[in-house]
Amino acid sequence: MVQESLNMEKLLCALRKVLPEGESYPLHEPLFCGNENKYVQECIDTAWVSSVGKFVDRFEADLAAYTGVKRAVAVVNGTAALHVCLILSNVQPNDEVLVPALTFIATANAVTYCHAIPHFVDSAYDTLGIDPDAIEAYLSEIGDLRADGCYNKKTGRRIRAVVPMHAFGHPVDMDKMIAVCEKYQLALIEDAAESIGSLYKGRHTGNFGQISAMSFNGNKTITTGGGGAVLTNDEELGKLAKHITTQAKIPHRWAYAHDRIGYNYRMPNINAGLGCAQLEKLLEYVEKKRRLAEKYRKALDGVPGVRFFVEPEFAKSNYWLNAILLDEGVANKRDHVLETLNDAGVGSRPIWELMYTMPMFTDCPRMDCKVAEDIGKRLINLPSSVRLGE
Ligand SMILES: *Cc1c(COP(=O)(O)O)cnc(C)c1O
């Protein structure tokens, strides 16, 4: 029997069960249905709109409580959060940092802000994030384990850290990742920008690295307009994160004294107000996003040529962005699918371009990334706004 191939009519018809005709559906739009107005208005009425205020403190406390970390520090965006994580993991100029070949550009950019070098690693089919088994095999070849850490035999540079990114909210296999980090003495930094509300074996993402980054950009599950956070279970790192994101100013009633290079990375109170209101809704939002994923899964079941991506078995994912994978035989139809869906008002996007195809990263070290390349050709994200799960 010849396997049925991709059929645009059938695909669109299936998607119409989730996304009825007559509307257009952006990839991900924010939802404000709680105390957002009230809290932002309060900032304006009290003139506490800027870099300190009660909503910043509350957002940090609420976020720490929700994710189960000891300390959360609110910052201007997720990219800045990653930068801070790398600095506090002691990433030095000319170090290499293992990052996914398939990620949003910010993961790799943040490494370069430390004058370090991104070193790209392959993805796993079951999580879409980096593959700890493949990385372990790779490091056993190119890694030179010395008393003070792991060095790259080919470049002579130290491999300081690894940044697993929980793609579209699906957690990387963290037990395996931690084992690789221990074996090769790598600092573990989670890029949890996409995974607020996602659990790995019952524990919230962002709890597994020494330090982790989150994003509250407008397209994420919850938003502060622009914003991010640094999460950690290490009290000392938490204090340092607060310190260096607030210009490393030594607290004093009037003196401007600073004890190291700092950054103006703090989240304004007005954004934190938005964040507090959004956090109050997070549990509900995640349930709605999971309901939406279930709707897609059912609707797309049996549709030829495509497979809906389902969370790994150890995870409870937030399904930040829903995804389908085209069958290998029809990967060359991807752009046609994107065009047809977008023409029909279904805001769909391909996954990111591989990092090492960008001009600034072509010369960076990397392992063979055949899985990432394959996923890169076949994955399409579907409209995933919270409201669609209602
Ligand atoms: C959104 C995102 C970031 C960056 O967050 P910003 O708040 O936009 O700076 C970093 N990494 C990943 C994987 C992201 O999706």
Side-chain angles (χ1 to χ4, degrees):
M1 198 184 93
V2 182
Q3 215 185 334
E4 237 189 313
S5 183
L6 182 71
N7 176 322
M8 277 314 305
E9 227 164 284
K10 281 187 185 164
L11 175 59
L12 198 52
C13 179
L15 289 174
R16 284 295 178 218
K17 292 180 200 156
V18 185
L19 312 166
E21 204 166 349
E23 254 188 88
S24 70
Y25 301 92
L27 190 65
H28 201 288
E29 50 188 358
L31 179 61
F32 302 119
C33 59
N35 286 318
E36 287 86 354
N37 264 311
K38 187 174 157 211
Y39 296 165
V40 170
Q41 191 63 52
E42 189 180 323
C43 293
I44 295 167
D45 292 344
T46 59
W48 287 98
V49 294
S50 193
S51 45
V52 286
K54 74 170 199 189
F55 287 117
V56 174
D57 297 337
R58 184 175 143 191
F59 184 62
E60 290 181 344
D62 290 355
L63 185 60
Y66 185 90
T67 56
V69 298
K70 287 215 176 97
R71 184 80 199 260
V73 175
V75 297
V76 281
N77 58 55
T79 312
L82 279 167
H83 185 198
V84 170
C85 289
L86 291 158
I87 293 169
L88 294 183
S89 300
N90 195 27
V91 170
Q92 296 289 322
N94 215 35
D95 279 347
E96 293 180 7
V97 177
L98 304 179
V99 295
L102 256 188
T103 182
F104 177 60
I105 195 78
T107 322
N109 275 344
V111 171
T112 68
Y113 303 165
C114 298
H115 305 282
I117 294 140
H119 183 151
F120 299 108
V121 291
D122 202 10
S123 311
Y125 281 115
D126 60 338
T127 66
L128 306 175
I130 58 177
D131 181 344
D133 293 328
I135 293 171
E136 176 159 28
Y138 177 60
L139 287 176
S140 76
E141 255 175 60
I142 67 125
D144 173 15
L145 203 47
R146 301 185 202 160
D148 65 335
C150 181
Y151 286 76
N152 183 335
K153 279 183 200 165
K154 292 183 180 162
T155 63
R157 292 186 290 241
R158 180 161 178 179
I159 304 176
R160 180 79 62 169
V162 57
V163 189
M165 189 278 286
H166 307 301
F168 310 131
H170 303 295
V172 165
D173 191 338
M174 293 311 288
D175 284 344
K176 284 188 176 175
M177 200 64 248
I178 288 167
V180 174
C181 287
E182 280 170 0
K183 185 165 172 191
Y184 288 97
Q185 298 185 42
L186 305 174
L188 179 58
I189 299 160
E190 290 174 74
D191 182 345
E194 303 179 355
S195 68
I196 190 158
S198 294
L199 311 180
Y200 171 76
K201 297 189 179 171
R203 200 165 167 221
H204 201 288
T205 49
N207 267 279
F208 300 90
Q210 288 92 318
I211 192 159
S212 310
M214 270 193 176
S215 167
F216 304 105
N217 191 35
N219 63 344
K220 298 299 198 307
T221 299
I222 59 168
T223 183
T224 58
V230 175
L231 308 184
T232 181
N233 283 307
D234 181 323
E235 308 265 12
E236 276 313 301
L237 282 184
K239 274 188 209 151
L240 270 175
K242 190 69 183 179
H243 189 55
I244 70 166
T245 54
T246 53
Q247 303 282 29
K249 183 178 178 298
I250 302 165
H252 188 279
R253 283 172 69 195
W254 55 75
Y256 291 105
H258 307 258
D259 60 1
R260 59 183 281 172
I261 302 276
Y263 301 85
N264 181 13
Y265 276 179
R266 58 191 138 193
M267 178 185 282
N269 199 47
I270 198 162
N271 298 79
L274 206 50
C276 288
Q278 290 268 285
L279 261 185
E280 290 169 355
K281 293 282 177 184
L282 180 55
L283 266 179
E284 186 188 317
Y285 282 16
V286 171
E287 284 322 304
K288 283 182 180 160
K289 289 182 73 65
R290 291 182 59 79
R291 211 175 303 152
L292 173 62
E294 186 53 21
K295 285 206 257 179
Y296 274 128
R297 192 192 61 76
K298 280 197 188 129
L300 291 163
D301 190 36
V303 173
V306 303
R307 175 169 65 82
F308 179 71
F309 185 85
V310 176
E311 66 192 353
E313 37 95 25
F314 48 64
K316 183 179 176 193
S317 300
N318 67 5
Y319 282 92
W320 171 52
L321 291 185
N322 290 288
I324 52 173
L325 280 149
L326 301 178
D327 288 352
E328 270 168 55
V330 291
N332 59 349
K333 301 259 169 57
R334 186 194 72 175
D335 290 354
H336 173 61
V337 174
L338 286 167
E339 208 166 293
T340 313
L341 294 185
N342 281 290
D343 284 349
V346 175
S348 47
R349 300 267 297 266
I351 196 169
W352 313 282
E353 299 283 330
L354 293 162
M355 291 300 108
Y356 53 77
T357 65
M358 317 273 174
M360 59 289 189
F361 296 135
T362 44
D363 295 332
C364 291
R366 62 183 165 98
M367 64 188 272
D368 179 14
C369 293
K370 53 180 183 298
V371 177
E373 284 180 10
D374 180 44
I375 293 170
K377 283 183 204 137
R378 300 199 282 128
L379 190 140
I380 291 175
N381 287 123
L382 298 174
S384 299
S385 303
V386 173
R387 73 172 179 93
L388 300 174
E390 278 166 357

mmCIF file of all heavy atoms in Angstrom, residues 75-104:
data_model
loop_
_atom_site.group_PDB
_atom_site.id
_atom_site.type_symbol
_atom_site.label_atom_id
_atom_site.label_comp_id
_atom_site.label_asym_id
_atom_site.label_seq_id
_atom_site.Cartn_x
_atom_site.Cartn_y
_atom_site.Cartn_z
ATOM 1 N N VAL A 75 14.402 41.192 35.441
ATOM 2 C CA VAL A 75 15.293 41.994 34.594
ATOM 3 C C VAL A 75 14.553 42.477 33.341
ATOM 4 O O VAL A 75 13.381 42.136 33.137
ATOM 5 C CB VAL A 75 16.570 41.205 34.193
ATOM 6 C CG1 VAL A 75 17.392 40.852 35.425
ATOM 7 C CG2 VAL A 75 16.230 39.954 33.408
ATOM 8 N N VAL A 76 15.256 43.282 32.533
ATOM 9 C CA VAL A 76 14.614 43.946 31.388
ATOM 10 C C VAL A 76 14.140 43.016 30.274
ATOM 11 O O VAL A 76 13.180 43.302 29.587
ATOM 12 C CB VAL A 76 15.505 45.013 30.724
ATOM 13 C CG1 VAL A 76 15.470 46.291 31.533
ATOM 14 C CG2 VAL A 76 16.925 44.523 30.525
ATOM 15 N N ASN A 77 14.844 41.918 30.067
ATOM 16 C CA ASN A 77 14.401 40.952 29.051
ATOM 17 C C ASN A 77 15.142 39.628 29.236
ATOM 18 O O ASN A 77 16.072 39.528 30.053
ATOM 19 C CB ASN A 77 14.563 41.504 27.617
ATOM 20 C CG ASN A 77 15.988 41.898 27.304
ATOM 21 O OD1 ASN A 77 16.906 41.097 27.437
ATOM 22 N ND2 ASN A 77 16.172 43.142 26.888
ATOM 23 N N GLY A 78 14.731 38.650 28.473
ATOM 24 C CA GLY A 78 15.310 37.317 28.613
ATOM 25 C C GLY A 78 16.755 37.249 28.149
ATOM 26 O O GLY A 78 17.554 36.471 28.679
ATOM 27 N N THR A 79 17.089 38.051 27.155
ATOM 28 C CA THR A 79 18.461 38.064 26.653
ATOM 29 C C THR A 79 19.410 38.595 27.728
ATOM 30 O O THR A 79 20.492 38.035 27.959
ATOM 31 C CB THR A 79 18.547 38.926 25.375
ATOM 32 O OG1 THR A 79 17.491 38.540 24.486
ATOM 33 C CG2 THR A 79 19.871 38.742 24.672
ATOM 34 N N ALA A 80 18.994 39.659 28.405
ATOM 35 C CA ALA A 80 19.795 40.193 29.516
ATOM 36 C C ALA A 80 19.899 39.149 30.634
ATOM 37 O O ALA A 80 20.958 38.997 31.257
ATOM 38 C CB ALA A 80 19.165 41.480 30.044
ATOM 39 N N ALA A 81 18.821 38.428 30.871
ATOM 40 C CA ALA A 81 18.844 37.376 31.899
ATOM 41 C C ALA A 81 19.899 36.327 31.554
ATOM 42 O O ALA A 81 20.681 35.901 32.412
ATOM 43 C CB ALA A 81 17.464 36.729 32.029
ATOM 44 N N LEU A 82 19.948 35.933 30.275
ATOM 45 C CA LEU A 82 20.961 34.965 29.844
ATOM 46 C C LEU A 82 22.373 35.516 30.037
ATOM 47 O O LEU A 82 23.271 34.804 30.491
ATOM 48 C CB LEU A 82 20.758 34.614 28.367
ATOM 49 C CG LEU A 82 19.684 33.583 28.049
ATOM 50 C CD1 LEU A 82 19.390 33.582 26.540
ATOM 51 C CD2 LEU A 82 20.111 32.186 28.505
ATOM 52 N N HIS A 83 22.550 36.779 29.684
ATOM 53 C CA HIS A 83 23.859 37.412 29.851
ATOM 54 C C HIS A 83 24.304 37.329 31.312
ATOM 55 O O HIS A 83 25.425 36.930 31.618
ATOM 56 C CB HIS A 83 23.775 38.870 29.367
ATOM 57 C CG HIS A 83 25.078 39.596 29.380
ATOM 58 N ND1 HIS A 83 25.159 40.961 29.328
ATOM 59 C CD2 HIS A 83 26.358 39.151 29.461
ATOM 60 C CE1 HIS A 83 26.435 41.328 29.362
ATOM 61 N NE2 HIS A 83 27.182 40.249 29.445
ATOM 62 N N VAL A 84 23.395 37.673 32.211
ATOM 63 C CA VAL A 84 23.702 37.635 33.642
ATOM 64 C C VAL A 84 24.033 36.205 34.088
ATOM 65 O O VAL A 84 24.986 35.979 34.842
ATOM 66 C CB VAL A 84 22.514 38.210 34.452
ATOM 67 C CG1 VAL A 84 22.686 37.963 35.939
ATOM 68 C CG2 VAL A 84 22.354 39.695 34.157
ATOM 69 N N CYS A 85 23.262 35.234 33.608
ATOM 70 C CA CYS A 85 23.522 33.829 33.963
ATOM 71 C C CYS A 85 24.934 33.413 33.555
ATOM 72 O O CYS A 85 25.635 32.722 34.298
ATOM 73 C CB CYS A 85 22.529 32.901 33.265
ATOM 74 S SG CYS A 85 20.865 33.002 33.910
ATOM 75 N N LEU A 86 25.345 33.835 32.374
ATOM 76 C CA LEU A 86 26.669 33.459 31.870
ATOM 77 C C LEU A 86 27.772 34.146 32.675
ATOM 78 O O LEU A 86 28.774 33.524 33.029
ATOM 79 C CB LEU A 86 26.775 33.798 30.377
ATOM 80 C CG LEU A 86 25.887 32.927 29.474
ATOM 81 C CD1 LEU A 86 25.603 33.626 28.148
ATOM 82 C CD2 LEU A 86 26.534 31.567 29.210
ATOM 83 N N ILE A 87 27.574 35.419 32.984
ATOM 84 C CA ILE A 87 28.568 36.140 33.801
ATOM 85 C C ILE A 87 28.713 35.437 35.155
ATOM 86 O O ILE A 87 29.827 35.178 35.620
ATOM 87 C CB ILE A 87 28.133 37.612 34.031
ATOM 88 C CG1 ILE A 87 28.164 38.401 32.728
ATOM 89 C CG2 ILE A 87 29.019 38.277 35.092
ATOM 90 C CD1 ILE A 87 27.509 39.779 32.831
ATOM 91 N N LEU A 88 27.580 35.105 35.758
ATOM 92 C CA LEU A 88 27.633 34.526 37.106
ATOM 93 C C LEU A 88 28.043 33.051 37.081
ATOM 94 O O LEU A 88 28.288 32.465 38.133
ATOM 95 C CB LEU A 88 26.295 34.722 37.825
ATOM 96 C CG LEU A 88 25.958 36.189 38.116
ATOM 97 C CD1 LEU A 88 24.657 36.297 38.900
ATOM 98 C CD2 LEU A 88 27.084 36.898 38.875
ATOM 99 N N SER A 89 28.131 32.464 35.911
ATOM 100 C CA SER A 89 28.692 31.114 35.789
ATOM 101 C C SER A 89 30.172 31.184 35.452
ATOM 102 O O SER A 89 30.772 30.186 35.065
ATOM 103 C CB SER A 89 27.955 30.329 34.710
ATOM 104 O OG SER A 89 26.597 30.233 35.042
ATOM 105 N N ASN A 90 30.709 32.397 35.563
ATOM 106 C CA ASN A 90 32.144 32.602 35.365
ATOM 107 C C ASN A 90 32.603 32.287 33.939
ATOM 108 O O ASN A 90 33.712 31.796 33.735
ATOM 109 C CB ASN A 90 32.934 31.755 36.383
ATOM 110 C CG ASN A 90 34.385 32.194 36.480
ATOM 111 O OD1 ASN A 90 34.701 33.366 36.227
ATOM 112 N ND2 ASN A 90 35.269 31.257 36.801
ATOM 113 N N VAL A 91 31.743 32.537 32.978
ATOM 114 C CA VAL A 91 32.154 32.369 31.576
ATOM 115 C C VAL A 91 33.122 33.497 31.230
ATOM 116 O O VAL A 91 32.810 34.674 31.412
ATOM 117 C CB VAL A 91 30.928 32.367 30.629
ATOM 118 C CG1 VAL A 91 31.354 32.432 29.179
ATOM 119 C CG2 VAL A 91 30.079 31.130 30.898
ATOM 120 N N GLN A 92 34.298 33.106 30.778
ATOM 121 C CA GLN A 92 35.394 34.054 30.549
ATOM 122 C C GLN A 92 35.622 34.262 29.053
ATOM 123 O O GLN A 92 35.265 33.391 28.251
ATOM 124 C CB GLN A 92 36.682 33.476 31.149
ATOM 125 C CG GLN A 92 36.640 33.296 32.657
ATOM 126 C CD GLN A 92 36.671 34.628 33.388
ATOM 127 O OE1 GLN A 92 37.368 35.560 32.970
ATOM 128 N NE2 GLN A 92 35.898 34.736 34.460
ATOM 129 N N PRO A 93 36.248 35.388 28.686
ATOM 130 C CA PRO A 93 36.583 35.592 27.279
ATOM 131 C C PRO A 93 37.348 34.385 26.728
ATOM 132 O O PRO A 93 38.212 33.833 27.421
ATOM 133 C CB PRO A 93 37.475 36.838 27.295
ATOM 134 C CG PRO A 93 37.017 37.596 28.497
ATOM 135 C CD PRO A 93 36.647 36.552 29.514
ATOM 136 N N ASN A 94 36.988 33.991 25.518
ATOM 137 C CA ASN A 94 37.643 32.876 24.830
ATOM 138 C C ASN A 94 37.241 31.481 25.341
ATOM 139 O O ASN A 94 37.725 30.478 24.854
ATOM 140 C CB ASN A 94 39.169 33.031 24.853
ATOM 141 C CG ASN A 94 39.787 32.497 23.576
ATOM 142 O OD1 ASN A 94 39.195 32.631 22.503
ATOM 143 N ND2 ASN A 94 40.955 31.887 23.691
ATOM 144 N N ASP A 95 36.329 31.420 26.320
ATOM 145 C CA ASP A 95 35.738 30.131 26.700
ATOM 146 C C ASP A 95 34.766 29.706 25.608
ATOM 147 O O ASP A 95 34.255 30.550 24.860
ATOM 148 C CB ASP A 95 34.909 30.259 27.988
ATOM 149 C CG ASP A 95 35.768 30.237 29.245
ATOM 150 O OD1 ASP A 95 36.951 29.880 29.163
ATOM 151 O OD2 ASP A 95 35.225 30.586 30.315
ATOM 152 N N GLU A 96 34.496 28.404 25.550
ATOM 153 C CA GLU A 96 33.403 27.928 24.693
ATOM 154 C C GLU A 96 32.211 27.565 25.570
ATOM 155 O O GLU A 96 32.375 27.091 26.694
ATOM 156 C CB GLU A 96 33.863 26.706 23.888
ATOM 157 C CG GLU A 96 34.926 27.069 22.869
ATOM 158 C CD GLU A 96 35.421 25.892 22.040
ATOM 159 O OE1 GLU A 96 34.845 24.790 22.150
ATOM 160 O OE2 GLU A 96 36.383 26.092 21.279
ATOM 161 N N VAL A 97 31.027 27.813 25.037
ATOM 162 C CA VAL A 97 29.794 27.466 25.737
ATOM 163 C C VAL A 97 28.930 26.651 24.781
ATOM 164 O O VAL A 97 28.653 27.095 23.654
ATOM 165 C CB VAL A 97 29.034 28.727 26.210
ATOM 166 C CG1 VAL A 97 27.722 28.344 26.882
ATOM 167 C CG2 VAL A 97 29.893 29.561 27.158
ATOM 168 N N LEU A 98 28.535 25.457 25.226
ATOM 169 C CA LEU A 98 27.698 24.602 24.376
ATOM 170 C C LEU A 98 26.274 25.148 24.346
ATOM 171 O O LEU A 98 25.653 25.332 25.400
ATOM 172 C CB LEU A 98 27.697 23.166 24.900
ATOM 173 C CG LEU A 98 29.060 22.489 25.063
ATOM 174 C CD1 LEU A 98 28.894 21.066 25.606
ATOM 175 C CD2 LEU A 98 29.824 22.461 23.735
ATOM 176 N N VAL A 99 25.803 25.427 23.149
ATOM 177 C CA VAL A 99 24.424 25.920 22.993
ATOM 178 C C VAL A 99 23.757 25.164 21.836
ATOM 179 O O VAL A 99 24.439 24.625 20.962
ATOM 180 C CB VAL A 99 24.375 27.451 22.721
ATOM 181 C CG1 VAL A 99 24.896 28.249 23.896
ATOM 182 C CG2 VAL A 99 25.108 27.823 21.459
ATOM 183 N N PRO A 100 22.426 25.131 21.840
ATOM 184 C CA PRO A 100 21.742 24.403 20.772
ATOM 185 C C PRO A 100 21.991 25.046 19.407
ATOM 186 O O PRO A 100 22.039 26.274 19.299
ATOM 187 C CB PRO A 100 20.254 24.537 21.130
ATOM 188 C CG PRO A 100 20.177 25.131 22.491
ATOM 189 C CD PRO A 100 21.483 25.762 22.789
ATOM 190 N N ALA A 101 22.128 24.200 18.389
ATOM 191 C CA ALA A 101 22.160 24.718 17.023
ATOM 192 C C ALA A 101 20.777 25.253 16.655
ATOM 193 O O ALA A 101 20.642 26.171 15.856
ATOM 194 C CB ALA A 101 22.568 23.612 16.058
ATOM 195 N N LEU A 102 19.764 24.643 17.266
ATOM 196 C CA LEU A 102 18.389 25.073 17.020
ATOM 197 C C LEU A 102 17.865 25.787 18.244
ATOM 198 O O LEU A 102 17.455 25.176 19.226
ATOM 199 C CB LEU A 102 17.502 23.845 16.782
ATOM 200 C CG LEU A 102 17.060 23.515 15.367
ATOM 201 C CD1 LEU A 102 16.033 22.386 15.409
ATOM 202 C CD2 LEU A 102 16.512 24.702 14.600
ATOM 203 N N THR A 103 17.879 27.118 18.198
ATOM 204 C CA THR A 103 17.338 27.914 19.285
ATOM 205 C C THR A 103 17.044 29.287 18.725
ATOM 206 O O THR A 103 17.386 29.598 17.580
ATOM 207 C CB THR A 103 18.327 28.006 20.464
ATOM 208 O OG1 THR A 103 17.733 28.772 21.532
ATOM 209 C CG2 THR A 103 19.624 28.697 20.066
ATOM 210 N N PHE A 104 16.415 30.119 19.533
ATOM 211 C CA PHE A 104 16.283 31.517 19.177
ATOM 212 C C PHE A 104 17.661 32.165 19.353
ATOM 213 O O PHE A 104 18.412 31.808 20.253
ATOM 214 C CB PHE A 104 15.223 32.179 20.062
ATOM 215 C CG PHE A 104 15.068 33.647 19.798
ATOM 216 C CD1 PHE A 104 14.688 34.092 18.546
ATOM 217 C CD2 PHE A 104 15.305 34.576 20.800
ATOM 218 C CE1 PHE A 104 14.552 35.459 18.295
ATOM 219 C CE2 PHE A 104 15.171 35.934 20.551
ATOM 220 C CZ PHE A 104 14.795 36.366 19.300
#
